[in-house]
Each structure stands twice: as structure tokens, then as C-alpha cells.
Amino acid sequence: MALTPYEYALVRDSLAEARARMEPGDTRFYERLFALRPDYRKLFRDDIAGQGMKFMSTLSVVVDALTSEEVFRHDLRELAEGHAAIGITAAHYAPMGDALIDTFKEVLGPDFTTEMEDAWRSAYAHIAARMMEAGHS
């Protein structure tokens, strides 16, 4: 595991809190991503609210994959391959990570601590690297 147990707990708990504060289909992540990179809009389906629902579910799987090789092998490998199939490359991951952090900052406000941000950045870097590898293998 790339994270310490404490970092994993920060990621897991902050995700649970963010989910509690967000409505199903929340589009803030995509709004932030498209503000950072308008050219990414073409990579996603038209129904961004539906995509937002899928995004929150996917984040839960990502968090589970941080401690379970089986979850990674089965769930995230499929996600990685799907991303690669629609043209997601290594260059796409950094802006997506920035949009994710910005979304947590907005949703959790001052409850999103520097420690949480650092833990999320580590978690995201780890998962993104593994997804890039899996998507292009």
C-alpha cells in the first residue's frame, strides 16, 4: 500500500464526509475539471449529472483499491482500460487530480485539512500511476 494506515483513514473518512455533503449527481468535479481544461469536455458523455453519480461510486472503489489488490485487479483495471479506450492518456490525469482536490476543498471547506489534501494527493498519484500502467498494458 502506498499510504500509511493514518493517511488511508484520512482519505476514507474525508470521502465519506464529502459524500454526505453532496447530492447524488453532483457535478462540481466536472465543472472544476472543465474550467481547468475545457478541451476535456469532449471526453465525457453529455449527461454530466449521471456521470457525477458514477464518479462518486468510482471514488469509493478507488479508495477500496488502495488496500485491496483484488479490487484493483477486478474493478480498477476495467476502469483503466475503459479510460484508455476513450483516449485518456497520462497527461489527462494531473488536471483530473487537481479538479478532485479542488472539489474536496469546496465541499468540505475548512474541514479539508492540509493533512487530508496531502493524503489525497498521495492516494491519487498511486492510483493514477497504476491505472495508467493497467490501461496501457
Side-chain angles (χ1 to χ4, degrees), residues 31-127:
E31 291 165 9
R32 183 64 190 136
L33 179 62
F34 302 150
L36 291 170
R37 294 298 307 260
D39 56 314
Y40 284 21
R41 181 64 185 92
K42 67 183 179 285
L43 297 170
F44 295 90
R45 63 187 191 191
D46 290 336
D47 177 19
I48 292 301
Q51 187 74 32
M53 292 178 78
K54 185 176 180 180
F55 172 71
M56 291 309 292
S57 297
T58 300
L59 270 183
S60 294
V61 173
V62 166
V63 170
D64 290 344
L66 290 168
T67 59
S68 171
E69 187 60 31
E70 182 151 335
V71 170
F72 181 83
R73 275 195 315 270
H74 292 104
D75 298 322
L76 284 190
R77 178 171 293 280
E78 184 177 313
L79 180 66
E81 290 169 352
H83 277 77
I86 63 168
I88 302 288
T89 66
H92 290 102
Y93 281 88
M96 289 180 183
D98 291 338
L100 178 65
I101 296 298
D102 288 349
T103 301
F104 276 106
K105 286 179 179 178
E106 181 181 339
V107 171
L108 298 178
D111 294 333
F112 190 65
T113 66
T114 302
E115 278 186 311
M116 285 178 186
E117 180 176 345
D118 292 344
W120 268 104
R121 288 192 184 279
S122 293
Y124 184 82
H126 174 73
I127 291 296

